[in-house]
Amino acid sequence: MGKIRKVSLSIGIVMVAVFLAACGKQSSQNNAQNKSITLMQTSDLTSLDNTNQAMLPEFNTLTNISEGLYRLNSKDQPVPAMATKIVKPTDNGKKYVFHIRSNAKWSNGDPVKAEDFEYSWKRSLNPANNPVYTYVFSGIKNADAIINHKKSYKTLGIKATGDKTLEITLDHPMAYFNKLVAMPVFMPQDKSFVQKVGVKKYGTNAKNTISNGAFKITNWTGTNDAYRLVKNPYYWDKSAIKLDQINYKTVKDSNTAHNLFEDGKLDDATISGVTAKSLQKNKDLKRVPKAWTYYLQVNQRKGRPLANQKLRQAISLAINRKELTNKVLADGSLPASSFVSPGTAVDPTTGKDFSQETSFSVAPNIKQARSLLAAGKKEAGITGDLKLSIVGDGQDVTKNVAQYIQGQLDSKLPGVKVSIANLPDKAQQARRSEGKFDLAQWYWLADFGDPINYLGILTSNNTMNPGKFSDATYDSLIEKAKTAANQTDYWKYLRQAEKRLMNQNGIIPLYYVRESHLVNPKLSGVEYHVAGFPDYTRATITK
């Protein structure tokens, strides 16, 4: 998720709190006695309809109130949730048959049925539902044709063949399928409940929301900035749930989050920017690795200067990433030496971290950069200064990074003149989608722990590729990986694709984001997923 649909998840996110009396006056000490914790959201919750929402507050909440066929464990591996076991595919890797737990129930006591998955998944591709997260269904039978308006959403390869039996058919084998379906978008919906309250009203407030996970939502009107999760009495694994409730509050300012944590009013506070920089030695600081890469999108449309590969390479070689992370950010972030972040996935065919085995050198090489600049300008027919624009959002951290890059390019590459445009979210999105930029600051926060989730977005004509990187060799490698019949070929093609992307400078990776959390030392058992969203369902807090 760090992409066009995730626009609210900016690198500088953090928070301002306004507490409702219902849940905002408790200290974390009282929370501990009541086995409750207080957490923050970066912005207000707007909807819990997982079929047409894909924003951070929504997915954070859904992770703790609902379950799909699988959930991720503390090692970021899928384990059975609504499904009774991890399923091995048949039909040459293209068919999965799941059995839904006999004791799985919704928070109103309704049984969870196989048709609840079929109903939810098809709603996620129904044009009338205004779906926003369709691309992740690619590979499931007919999904691509449905997305391209060539087939009806009703033809998606998912079918309930009984109350508790679900059959899923793929267009081709998908080595990452089990990780994929742990995402919130693949969670079921209680068909009878949704139809009863109405598809337009479902998920708009606590009354019109139902859950099948460890908790259910209360005290949410649909517009308030604080709400509560309480235990779901019908949850199939309720004996594993130690917390009684989870309180959420909207906090948008990092300094405010820090102060609330110090006052005992937050048990887990996400901080960034100057606040995170100043608290790196705090005893309660926890650096959370994320599958999250901050990079420069490079406009390679015909007629743009950076359509020239040598000019793209010159820019990449002129940037001192270690200085950027150590002196400008100083928040635990690390220099990026590949698109795929470390910790995203281990290549099972080599036993190595995929990011590390495909990394390039991050050391700047000014001499080579200047040589490439001269050659690239000649090839592109540029006789004067090379004028470049950097587009980004209005966050302080974004501005600081842009100013650093501007200084590096202006001072290290003679004749390069860089301008900066820091714009509101909608304006900078429009600039990127319209191609009115040379370099755009962006990020990718992986939806699931597999390199394909990064690499797949940079194929030609992908909607999340506004830089228009287009390379036939790269496209072919991604397609071969997606349709690979075995793990050896799958990972081989992914390695080749990552190296091809870096060789062509399709994007310019800058740094790997590390989230900084202030965590109550009495809080334990939180599963901070590298790819995915924090899971507090198995957490506990001591007195």
Side-chain angles (χ1 to χ4, degrees):
M1 207 180 215
K3 5 199 176 208
I4 287 177
R5 65 184 186 290
K6 261 189 217 171
V7 296
S8 68
L9 197 156
S10 298
I11 300 302
I13 56 178
V14 263
M15 335 173 252
V16 183
V18 180
F19 302 139
L20 293 184
C23 63
K25 299 298 183 181
Q26 289 181 309
S27 68
S28 57
Q29 287 80 10
N30 288 335
N31 286 348
Q33 293 172 359
N34 296 325
K35 288 293 182 184
S36 71
I37 60 174
T38 301
L39 308 175
M40 62 184 258
Q41 291 279 32
T42 63
S43 58
D44 292 347
L45 189 64
T46 59
S47 173
L48 286 174
D49 184 345
N50 65 294
T51 66
N52 60 17
Q53 293 295 318
M55 304 300 280
L56 187 62
E58 284 73 17
F59 276 10
N60 275 337
T61 306
L62 285 165
T63 297
N64 292 289
I65 68 171
S66 294
E67 284 188 346
L69 295 166
Y70 304 141
R71 57 181 292 271
L72 298 179
N73 64 12
S74 59
K75 297 181 179 179
D76 289 335
Q77 295 302 310
V79 293
M82 290 296 97
T84 57
K85 65 179 182 179
I86 300 295
V87 174
K88 292 183 178 180
T90 57
D91 189 22
N92 296 316
K94 294 191 292 185
K95 182 172 288 187
Y96 290 76
V97 177
F98 294 91
H99 296 285
I100 309 303
R101 294 182 185 277
S102 59
N103 59 341
K105 294 184 178 181
W106 294 97
S107 52
N108 65 353
D110 287 350
V112 177
K113 298 180 179 180
E115 72 170 359
D116 295 334
F117 283 90
E118 180 180 355
Y119 178 69
S120 176
W121 290 24
K122 287 182 176 178
R123 280 198 74 212
S124 294
L125 291 182
N126 182 353
N129 192 39
N130 297 316
V132 296
Y133 212 2
T134 57
Y135 93 98
V136 294
F137 286 84
S138 179
I140 298 172
K141 186 177 179 180
N142 293 333
D144 289 334
I146 295 167
I147 294 167
N148 292 317
H149 309 292
K150 295 179 179 179
K151 287 189 176 182
S152 166
Y153 70 93
K154 295 178 181 179
T155 66
L156 185 68
I158 180 171
K159 182 179 181 180
T161 58
D163 277 355
K164 295 287 185 177
T165 306
L166 183 70
E167 183 177 290
I168 297 172
T169 305
L170 309 181
D171 281 326
H172 51 75
M174 296 168 64
Y176 51 93
F177 182 75
N178 284 342
K179 291 181 179 179
L180 182 73
V181 297
M183 291 175 56
V185 70
F186 292 100
M187 290 172 175
Q189 290 187 348
D190 185 346
K191 182 178 179 179
S192 61
F193 181 87
V194 176
Q195 293 180 338
K196 179 181 177 181
V197 303
V199 294
K200 297 296 184 181
K201 292 183 178 180
Y202 178 71
T204 57
N205 54 42
K207 180 181 178 181
N208 291 328
T209 302
I210 195 169
S211 54
N212 67 329
F215 294 89
K216 61 180 181 178
I217 190 168
T218 64
N219 296 83
W220 179 49
T221 65
T223 59
N224 53 328
D225 56 7
Y227 57 95
R228 178 182 300 153
L229 308 185
V230 298
K231 273 187 177 181
N232 174 8
Y234 295 104
Y235 182 53
W236 70 272
D237 195 23
K238 61 184 178 181
S239 63
I241 310 306
K242 308 304 179 186
L243 292 175
D244 296 312
Q245 67 185 42
I246 300 173
N247 302 313
Y248 277 104
K249 307 176 187 299
T250 301
V251 188
K252 297 178 181 177
D253 177 75
S254 200
N255 188 55
T256 300
H258 174 215
N259 291 336
L260 291 170
F261 178 81
E262 290 298 313
D263 290 342
K265 294 179 180 178
L266 282 176
D267 293 296
D268 189 336
T270 307
I271 56 173
S272 67
V274 175
T275 304
K277 189 174 181 178
S278 67
L279 292 172
Q280 288 301 300
K281 294 184 180 179
N282 188 289
K283 62 181 177 58
D284 296 319
L285 184 78
K286 179 179 179 65
R287 296 184 185 90
V288 178
K290 300 294 292 183
W292 190 351
T293 302
Y294 191 99
Y295 65 100
L296 293 176
Q297 292 175 334
V298 187
N299 192 346
Q300 294 156 68
R301 289 168 171 81
K302 186 178 181 180
R304 304 296 297 203
L306 298 184
N308 183 276
Q309 190 268 338
K310 289 179 181 176
L311 294 181
R312 300 195 299 270
Q313 188 179 5
I315 291 169
S316 182
L317 286 170
I319 298 171
N320 189 326
R321 292 166 177 80
K322 288 186 178 180
E323 187 174 70
L324 171 64
T325 54
N326 292 340
K327 295 184 178 181
V328 179
L329 298 168
D331 61 358
S333 297
L334 301 172
S337 54
S338 64
F339 185 28
V340 178
S341 301
T344 298
V346 171
D347 181 341
T349 66
T350 64
K352 298 178 181 178
D353 182 276
F354 180 86
S355 178
Q356 293 175 357
E357 69 180 355
T358 56
S359 287
F360 63 91
S361 172
V362 297
N365 188 327
I366 305 305
K367 182 178 180 180
Q368 186 179 1
R370 290 176 177 175
S371 175
L372 287 164
L373 174 65
K377 287 177 66 176
K378 185 176 181 180
E379 287 181 359
I382 299 171
T383 57
D385 290 340
L386 174 60
K387 297 180 180 180
L388 302 174
S389 62
I390 299 179
V391 173
D393 61 37
Q395 298 284 344
D396 286 344
V397 67
T398 309
K399 293 178 182 178
N400 292 340
V401 170
Q403 289 167 5
Y404 177 78
I405 294 170
Q406 180 188 49
Q408 289 278 288
L409 300 185
D410 284 354
S411 64
K412 306 296 184 183
L413 299 178
V416 173
K417 305 297 181 184
V418 178
S419 62
I420 298 173
N422 291 109
L423 306 169
D425 278 346
K426 288 185 178 180
Q428 61 95 4
Q429 288 173 53
R431 287 277 290 271
R432 291 188 301 112
S433 63
E434 294 166 6
K436 296 178 180 178
F437 70 96
D438 293 303
L439 299 167
Q441 295 169 265
W442 201 236
Y443 53 85
W444 185 262
L445 176 59
D447 301 299
F448 57 95
D450 193 281
I452 196 70
N453 189 229
Y454 293 80
L455 301 173
I457 69 165
L458 293 177
T459 51
S460 300
N461 301 317
N462 191 294
T463 57
M464 283 168 282
N465 178 17
K468 299 300 180 183
F469 168 64
S470 181
D471 179 74
T473 299
Y474 182 82
D475 290 347
S476 174
L477 290 169
I478 294 300
E479 183 61 25
K480 287 178 180 179
K482 286 184 174 180
T483 58
N486 58 70
Q487 290 280 327
T488 299
D489 286 344
Y490 177 71
W491 290 92
K492 177 184 70 176
Y493 292 131
L494 288 182
R495 289 194 301 271
Q496 292 176 2
E498 170 76 66
K499 291 177 180 178
R500 178 70 179 180
L501 175 66
M502 293 298 99
N503 176 265
Q504 294 298 303
N505 300 102
I507 61 168
I508 299 176
L510 294 177
Y511 62 90
Y512 303 125
V513 179
R514 293 294 178 267
E515 279 189 346
S516 292
H517 289 241
L518 294 173
V519 182
N520 187 337
K522 296 180 179 180
L523 176 63
S524 61
V526 182
E527 295 173 354
Y528 296 99
H529 299 305
V530 174
F533 309 90
D535 185 343
Y536 294 88
T537 61
R538 269 66 178 174
T540 188
I541 192 164
T542 58
K543 294 182 179 180

